[in-house]
Amino acid sequence: MSVVDQAGSAPATSPYRRFVRELVTFGMVGTLGTLITFVGANLMRNWVGDGPLIGVVLPTMTATLVSYLLNRRWTFKDSGSDGSHREMAVFFALNGVGLVIQTLCMGFRTYSLHLNGALSYNVAMAAGTLLGAGFRYWSYRKWIFIPASV
């Protein structure tokens, strides 16, 4: 049962509660995107045999599309998001930056450290994913899913 104020409407969610809800749902969407990326990258690595960089790019692009849809409709549903082509273009561009961060981690592991094992592959994927996720959350809040005016 919800608490109703004297005017008969439900009180606005506190900024802290909204932030926590956003962070939790962003994490859930990110976890799904990470699973898509990790499973896809490992499948490509083991079955298709593509290079380590292509193996990161294609699954990440798939995860990006899923993430956009879920973030827009669930995580940042209370924002001023309009689903416009501009919004989508900015989202994909910012995810491109996140992808570059991930790819740099994989490239560093492969070409600078000369590591080729499965463990180092997944550690590099995890590091790139965490760094990219931090950038993505910050950039989504700053440029895409801006809180709606009160």
Side-chain angles (χ1 to χ4, degrees):
M1 186 151 132
S2 67
V3 176
V4 178
D5 66 12
Q6 291 179 357
S9 62
T13 304
S14 75
Y16 175 75
R17 281 187 79 151
R18 184 178 55 186
F19 173 73
V20 169
R21 183 199 62 79
E22 243 175 41
L23 210 52
V24 168
T25 56
F26 180 81
M28 292 169 75
V29 169
T31 299
L32 178 62
T34 299
L35 285 172
I36 292 169
T37 301
F38 269 71
V39 170
N42 279 288
L43 286 174
M44 290 188 75
R45 178 178 180 269
N46 291 319
W47 291 345
V48 180
D50 280 332
L53 301 183
I54 296 295
V56 171
V57 171
L58 295 177
T60 300
M61 289 172 60
T62 302
T64 299
L65 178 59
V66 170
S67 294
Y68 173 75
L69 295 172
L70 289 174
N71 277 313
R72 182 173 178 276
R73 302 223 182 253
W74 188 34
T75 304
F76 300 107
K77 67 181 179 187
D78 298 328
S79 74
S81 173
D82 61 2
S84 67
H85 293 297
R86 180 211 155 275
E87 176 183 284
M88 217 187 240
V90 172
F91 184 90
F92 280 87
L94 293 172
N95 271 278
V97 173
L99 178 58
V100 167
I101 292 168
Q102 285 179 264
T103 306
L104 287 171
C105 288
M106 187 59 69
F108 179 74
R109 166 254 181 200
T110 304
Y111 303 114
S112 294
L113 299 178
H114 303 288
L115 298 173
N116 295 310
L119 178 62
S120 66
Y121 184 84
N122 286 296
V123 168
M125 284 286 293
T129 299
L130 288 173
L131 291 171
F135 170 78
R136 286 178 178 110
Y137 182 78
W138 171 78
S139 65
Y140 294 170
R141 296 295 294 135
K142 183 160 181 71
W143 291 304
I144 300 172
F145 302 113
I146 301 163
S149 299
V150 177

